[in-house]
Amino acid sequence: MDIMNSLKSSREMIDALIANKSQTFGSITMPGPLDELESVAGACVYALNKGNKIFFMGNGGSAAEAQHLAGELVSYFMTQSDPYAAIALNTDTSIITAISNDLGYKHIFSRQLQALSKPGDVAIYLSTSGSSENILEGMKFGKINGLINISFTGLKSRWMYDYSNYYIAVPSTSTPRIQEGHLILGHW
C-alpha cells in the first residue's frame, strides 16, 4: 500500500469515528464509539474520584498504546494536573515472564489484576483482534470480581463484548487503523 492510500484509509477510519454511527456486529448492535467513549470517560472519572485505579493492558502495538495512555494519566496530559492512578500491566518483564513460566502466558493479566485490583477499579483492554487469550482471561477475572471492564477493539471479532461494561469498536478490520483509532479515542 502506498502512503497516499494509507493516509486515505486512516482518514476514512477517522471520518467513521466522527460519524459516531451505531454498528451491528453479528446479532449485536453497539452504540456509536463516541457515545460509548463519553460513558467510558464518566466511568473513569467516577472511579478515580472514589480512589480507584485504572489498569491498561494489551499485546504488541496495543501494549505500547496501553503504556502511552497510562503515562498520560500518571504524568499529565495537555495541562498540568495531579497524577492519576494508572498502571500498564504489560510493562514489568519479570512479572510477565514469571507468570508465563509458572502459570502460562494466558494468565499474565488476570494474575496481576488478582494481585493489584479491587472492586470498582477500571480495566481497559486494548486488542485489535478482540480474541487475545490473555486479554479474555483478564476480562473474565474483571467481570467476576467487580472491575469496570472497558474494551477497545475493532471489527474483527466480538469475543470481548460478553465481558465488557463498555465496548468501543473502531470501525475497521485493519490492524493499523484500529491501533490509530485506539490512540485517537484514548486522547479524546
Side-chain angles (χ1 to χ4, degrees):
M1 178 182 291
D2 67 46
I3 194 162
M4 293 310 291
N5 284 333
S6 183
L7 288 170
K8 181 180 176 196
S9 179
S10 294
R11 181 178 178 142
E12 289 169 354
M13 179 275 300
I14 293 168
D15 288 345
L17 283 176
I18 292 169
N20 194 37
K21 293 181 182 173
S22 61
Q23 302 167 56
T24 301
F25 195 5
S27 61
I28 297 170
T29 300
M30 298 167 279
L34 297 184
D35 292 334
E36 196 76 337
L37 185 65
E38 187 173 347
S39 297
V40 163
C44 289
V45 168
Y46 181 81
L48 290 169
N49 284 336
K50 291 286 191 183
N52 292 93
K53 296 174 288 303
I54 299 176
F55 296 97
F56 292 89
M57 63 214 83
N59 296 292
S62 296
E65 291 185 340
Q67 284 180 251
H68 178 113
L69 295 170
E72 299 283 25
L73 294 175
V74 173
S75 182
Y76 68 90
F77 179 62
M78 295 178 55
T79 61
Q80 186 66 43
S81 67
D82 289 334
Y84 299 105
I87 302 165
L89 296 181
N90 45 263
T91 59
D92 191 322
T93 56
S94 295
I95 289 174
I96 290 169
T97 57
I99 295 169
S100 296
N101 186 61
D102 298 342
L103 301 170
Y105 191 71
K106 77 178 190 176
H107 299 288
I108 64 167
F109 299 132
S110 60
R111 186 72 170 183
Q112 291 182 79
L113 288 171
Q114 183 180 3
L116 301 171
S117 70
K118 63 181 182 182
D121 285 343
V122 172
I124 298 178
Y125 308 87
L126 294 100
S127 176
T128 61
S129 71
S131 59
S132 300
E133 193 174 26
N134 55 9
I135 292 288
L136 295 172
E137 284 295 314
M139 295 187 82
K140 289 175 191 175
F141 175 86
K143 184 168 183 144
I144 292 168
N145 291 284
L147 303 184
I148 308 303
N149 279 348
I150 299 170
S151 295
F152 278 69
T153 189
L155 295 178
K156 292 184 177 187
S157 73
R158 61 178 186 88
W159 293 106
M160 296 169 75
Y161 184 83
D162 292 336
Y163 305 109
S164 300
N165 296 94
Y166 301 99
Y167 187 83
I168 298 175
V170 172
S172 180
T173 57
S174 165
T175 297
R177 299 300 83 80
I178 296 167
Q179 289 173 333
E180 291 166 359
H182 289 169
L183 198 52
I184 289 168
L185 290 165
H187 282 164
W188 284 351

